[in-house]
Amino acid sequence: MHRSKRAVIVGSTLLILTAVAGLASGWFVPTQTAVTQLAPGVFFRKTATEPAFIGCNQGWVIFKDFVLVIDANFPNQAEEVIQLIRKTTDKPIRYVFDTHYHGDHADGNQKFSAIGATPVASEDSRSQFDTKGLAGFEKSKKTNPAVYGGLEYQKPVLYFPRKLVIDDGTQRVELLHFGHAHTPGDAVAWLPKQGLLFTGDACVNGAFNYTGDGNTASWIRVLSEMQKLPVKRVCPGHGEMGDADVIAKQKRYFVELREAVQRLIDKGRTLDAIKRQIEIPSFLEWTGVDVKTRAENIEFVYSELTGGGKPK
Ligand SMILES: [Zn+2]
């Protein structure tokens, strides 16, 4: 998870302007990171998950006088995205929005606060930053000094309960917390004018989605809330961009995982048997991966359905 292979995005020789159907333009460094302008002043950075996991996807929105960044990423990737942002604007980065507390989304906060930005997150994520987030960061400082050495943990300093709107007349971004999904404090960034939704890990596109901090019943409800928005494009926390169908696929995974595990529980199967026997064809079709390989998610849902699945 914390292995990092720095994306090399230095100099113009690696910047290849590529026309993408339906999109304005993209700069691509194959297999590592790709930046696409989705609308005037709105950018999506896709990072690689294969062969090396380098971090989360990110976004940024250029307002009249400042920039909002969506997800801090790991510290080294925070440095990378700041360089990328500087290729698009000289305006100060004022806010970095952490969709949730996980290190691959928030451990780079200090890199942004050092240049004057304020880390923002939902109020329901505060306790995770204070506990697991801090503990994970301290652990990474020991195990990955090349990326974390010398840094101090920077928690968000601006929290919002359900919704925070940033609107200067040119851009409007709504930060929305719908409830417990991938973590208790997940929030998304919704750009209503452009129909763009940056979901963090509340919705990923095919990449492994960790359930250990989740609540799959609530997560399905959160995804249903997202589906009420007139979404044109989903920028997921990991994986490729897509249309609103990505939300439907993420939801279907949890609906069908819960149904399939429950069916096998009802037949009296043990957890080990369930892990061997479970089939979810739609998941294979979506991700190219057999659902059996996501064993920890099967264990988590089994635990939830048999009464032991309280979020850690
Ligand atoms: Zn996460």
Side-chain angles (χ1 to χ4, degrees):
M1 279 287 286
H2 292 205
R3 273 173 303 151
S4 68
K5 197 169 172 185
R6 288 170 62 102
V8 180
I9 308 172
V10 184
S12 57
T13 51
L14 287 174
L15 298 182
I16 303 162
L17 201 64
T18 309
V20 178
L23 303 174
S25 65
W27 321 314
F28 287 79
V29 179
T31 76
Q32 296 239 318
T33 185
V35 174
T36 305
Q37 179 163 299
L38 301 174
V42 184
F43 294 83
F44 174 66
R45 180 196 184 201
K46 158 84 173 53
T47 62
T49 51
E50 302 289 342
F53 179 91
I54 63 168
C56 70
N57 295 336
Q58 292 170 286
W60 67 93
V61 181
I62 303 172
F63 288 74
K64 224 182 303 181
D65 299 321
F66 61 89
V67 180
L68 161 77
V69 180
I70 298 157
D71 270 332
N73 212 328
F74 288 126
N76 59 339
Q77 295 301 318
E79 288 177 359
E80 293 287 352
V81 85
I82 290 167
Q83 287 182 39
L84 291 167
I85 292 166
R86 286 291 160 250
K87 292 178 189 293
T88 63
T89 179
D90 292 330
K91 292 174 187 174
I93 298 170
R94 185 172 294 170
Y95 301 107
V96 58
F97 163 52
D98 298 328
T99 57
H100 61 296
Y101 83 92
H102 285 159
D104 59 326
H105 293 257
D107 278 359
N109 278 347
Q110 197 268 344
K111 295 287 181 184
F112 290 95
S113 58
I115 56 169
T118 299
V120 185
S122 85
E123 177 66 29
D124 280 354
S125 69
R126 182 199 287 259
S127 62
Q128 296 117 65
F129 280 98
D130 289 345
T131 54
K132 289 177 159 186
L134 174 61
F137 185 89
E138 293 302 330
K139 191 174 168 198
S140 296
K141 270 179 81 163
K142 293 196 182 87
T143 57
N144 196 359
V147 172
Y148 285 76
L151 292 176
E152 294 302 321
Y153 191 50
Q154 174 66 61
K155 292 186 277 192
V157 295
L158 177 61
Y159 290 99
F160 61 93
R162 291 273 154 190
K163 181 173 183 178
L164 178 70
V165 177
I166 306 172
D167 186 338
D168 69 351
T170 60
Q171 302 281 14
R172 179 180 176 90
V173 177
E174 300 178 3
L175 307 182
L176 305 170
H177 168 55
F178 290 120
H180 192 165
H182 172 70
T183 69
D186 289 320
V188 301
W190 167 235
L191 281 67
K193 287 185 194 170
Q194 298 91 343
L196 299 169
L197 186 66
F198 292 80
T199 61
D201 293 354
C203 181
V204 305
N205 193 2
F208 174 71
N209 205 338
Y210 176 68
T211 49
D213 287 321
N215 175 320
T216 60
S218 176
W219 199 334
I220 290 165
R221 288 193 292 275
V222 167
L223 290 161
S224 297
E225 289 300 311
M226 288 187 207
Q227 287 182 308
K228 291 178 187 167
L229 301 170
V231 175
K232 292 191 182 132
R233 185 163 291 276
V234 171
C235 301
H238 301 276
E240 301 290 340
M241 276 189 295
D243 58 19
D245 197 40
V246 179
I247 305 171
K249 286 172 175 164
Q250 180 70 90
K251 183 165 126 179
R252 184 175 61 189
Y253 168 57
F254 289 118
V255 168
E256 295 188 2
L257 182 59
R258 287 174 62 88
E259 286 173 354
V261 172
Q262 187 64 59
R263 259 197 312 275
L264 292 164
I265 291 171
D266 292 345
K267 286 182 182 169
R269 301 288 194 275
T270 63
L271 175 58
D272 280 346
I274 291 171
K275 282 156 71 176
R276 284 196 307 274
Q277 293 171 12
I278 192 166
E279 301 278 353
I280 303 183
S282 65
F283 186 75
L284 180 63
E285 189 186 315
W286 174 32
T287 65
V289 173
D290 189 317
V291 76
K292 293 187 196 64
T293 64
R294 303 287 159 92
E296 66 182 278
N297 289 2
I298 299 165
E299 289 166 12
F300 185 83
V301 166
Y302 177 88
S303 174
E304 286 184 314
L305 295 175
T306 55
K310 296 282 177 286
K312 289 171 210 164

